[in-house]
Amino acid sequence: LAAAGGGPVEGTVFADVELPPQRSSGPLRARATGPFSAARALSRGRGEQRHVTLAAHGRRVVAAWSERAGSAWRVKVARSADAGRTWSAPRAVGPGQRPALAAGARGHVWLAVQRAGRVRVAHSRDGGRRFGPARPVPGGGAPQWRPAIAATGAGRAYVAWIDERGRQREGDLPRAAVWGARVEGARVGRARELDPYPPVSDLAAQLDNDWAVAVGARGRHVTVAWTDFRTYDWRIVGRSSRDGGRRFGPLRAISDDPADREALDDAPSVAVGRDGAPLVAWTGHRAAATIAPAPLYDVRLARVGRASRRVDDGGDRPVVSVNPALALDPRDGAPLVAWQDHADGVGAIRVAARGRVRRVSASAANQWRPAVAVAGGRLLVAWEDARGGAGRAVVAAAPLRRLR
């Protein structure tokens, strides 16, 4: 056992577990599940595929993922001009991992990637057919991680990332903080730290790091949310801008866990409504007031400044529901939330829409890290799927009119 800086005593426990023989889930087979179309692979490549992401504008959809080639990772992109009914052959756009996409009007698409400890942004003017060079975001030579990006208008976007150029308040240790920059076409503007705020708890003076940044935008309304350790636990916070990211308002708490309970919140996803108000979904963990069983992780949703509500259907069972992805129905702004759900053991992708939860695919294989986009009256859901062995990037879709 060890005490961390005068904080709670923590320990490690273990137990041997006998696992049943592993069964192959077989190849990817086409079978629709409820209103969702059969899942289809975005790439025929045999390399492991990770961190699939989607962006859409009108009926145009772009997907990106990282795919292993030997010991290296390359980012690949596929396009759809008909709201995900058909897809182009994937095209490699360069080395990198953890791609993030944004799609705007007039064929503008941005691709942000993490490459060799730096975040870079590439720009396309033809809907993602061709990208220019991936330009590094401004930095001081420190590591940069996990980019997120959203379109803010014709030819404009906002990119945010985790950057270690800062230092902790005590101990002269590196601090991982959220930085961001406006993007105009292929040019990335001046970087600005979005979390210059001091820790709230003295116990976090050497541990005040940020993680899991997310960006959502609608026109000039931009919200950046992230997981923050300033309170000596992990809570979701964020800042919003009304001018495309030139200026941001104050830091606002998004997690609404009681202050006297440890929060272990993670993985925010942001969408901005037609009125400019941001909504955030995240993985929530609320420590129980007693030792009675409590949900391990659930998916929560809140309009910033209001109380959150639980989205998943795990009830009081101690299950794991994580990694939400959020989009809004363009007809009325209703939230559409996908997540990775372990209620039945292996991961399954589920979607909550208008008070009902549906499974996206009936496969028995492990499924994780969904991404969502709305295009041409359809909700598209992409995820990593273990059918056939190594993880594969797959996508399915459902008409919005059937998600009732």
Side-chain angles (χ1 to χ4, degrees):
L1 298 178
V9 175
E10 298 178 352
T12 301
V13 297
F14 72 93
D16 293 330
V17 178
E18 294 291 335
L19 297 177
Q22 185 173 3
R23 296 184 302 160
S24 172
S25 56
L28 187 65
R29 293 187 176 90
R31 188 173 69 175
T33 303
F36 285 93
S37 65
R40 60 165 293 166
L42 288 166
S43 171
R44 295 183 178 181
R46 296 187 177 184
E48 183 181 9
Q49 298 157 20
R50 289 286 182 262
H51 301 114
V52 62
T53 185
L54 298 171
H57 188 85
R59 294 174 58 83
R60 177 169 48 87
V61 190
V62 185
W65 62 93
S66 51
E67 187 166 325
R68 185 188 293 273
S71 61
W73 289 90
R74 297 185 66 80
V75 173
K76 291 190 174 182
V77 171
R79 298 170 292 103
S80 173
D82 54 9
R85 291 176 175 85
T86 60
W87 291 86
S88 70
R91 177 176 176 266
V93 294
Q97 291 180 278
R98 291 189 173 274
L101 281 170
R106 303 174 188 169
H108 289 279
V109 177
W110 293 267
L111 171 67
V113 300
Q114 174 184 310
R115 180 192 303 174
R118 294 294 302 274
V119 168
R120 296 172 179 265
V121 179
H123 177 237
S124 170
R125 297 179 61 90
D126 58 8
R129 290 179 176 85
R130 295 176 298 272
F131 284 87
R135 305 178 187 277
V137 301
Q144 299 169 334
W145 312 95
R146 298 177 69 125
I149 193 166
T152 59
R156 295 184 176 87
Y158 192 86
V159 62
W161 65 93
I162 302 298
D163 197 302
E164 293 186 20
R165 74 184 75 180
R167 313 301 291 180
Q168 300 285 354
R169 290 301 173 105
E170 293 182 6
D172 194 32
L173 299 169
R175 176 173 182 256
V178 174
W179 286 66
R182 293 186 298 121
V183 183
E184 294 192 16
R187 187 180 69 85
V188 182
R190 181 175 63 90
R192 174 186 177 186
E193 184 179 3
L194 294 181
D195 185 15
Y197 301 95
V200 172
S201 170
D202 291 340
L203 296 174
Q206 299 182 20
L207 303 166
D208 182 21
N209 293 302
D210 301 332
W211 199 244
V213 64
V215 181
R218 181 180 292 264
R220 296 171 63 82
H221 292 271
V222 183
T223 291
V224 182
W226 64 90
T227 307
D228 192 289
F229 201 71
R230 61 200 300 263
T231 51
Y232 199 63
D233 59 357
W234 292 109
R235 294 174 184 260
I236 309 301
V237 300
R239 297 180 68 183
S240 295
S241 168
R242 297 180 180 179
D243 57 9
R246 292 179 183 273
R247 296 176 296 273
F248 280 84
L251 188 73
R252 301 183 69 181
I254 297 173
S255 295
D256 53 0
D257 307 77
D260 61 347
R261 308 251 188 103
E262 181 183 30
L264 297 175
D265 299 341
D266 192 17
S269 180
V270 183
V272 179
R274 286 179 290 188
D275 59 356
L279 286 83
V280 182
W282 69 92
T283 300
H285 179 281
R286 297 190 173 200
T290 68
I291 61 173
L296 294 180
Y297 290 94
D298 54 25
V299 173
R300 306 200 70 83
L301 174 70
R303 187 182 177 106
V304 175
R306 299 184 183 179
S308 70
R309 62 181 177 90
R310 188 174 176 182
V311 175
D312 67 274
D313 58 348
D316 294 330
R317 294 176 294 163
V319 300
V320 173
S321 301
V322 293
N323 293 328
L326 172 64
L328 303 180
D329 189 325
R331 298 172 298 177
D332 59 3
L336 308 166
V337 186
W339 68 91
Q340 171 186 333
D341 192 284
H342 291 267
D344 299 323
V346 298
I349 304 303
R350 299 182 188 273
V351 166
R354 303 184 184 278
R356 183 174 175 182
V357 174
R358 295 174 172 87
R359 186 163 178 167
V360 177
S361 171
S363 167
N366 204 18
Q367 305 165 8
W368 58 99
R369 282 192 289 258
V372 295
V374 174
R378 308 174 85 211
L379 173 67
L380 288 87
V381 184
W383 68 91
E384 299 163 44
D385 196 295
R387 274 174 280 193
R392 304 179 68 186
V394 303
V395 63
L400 292 175
R401 58 181 171 76
R402 295 191 60 191
L403 296 178
R404 296 184 179 277

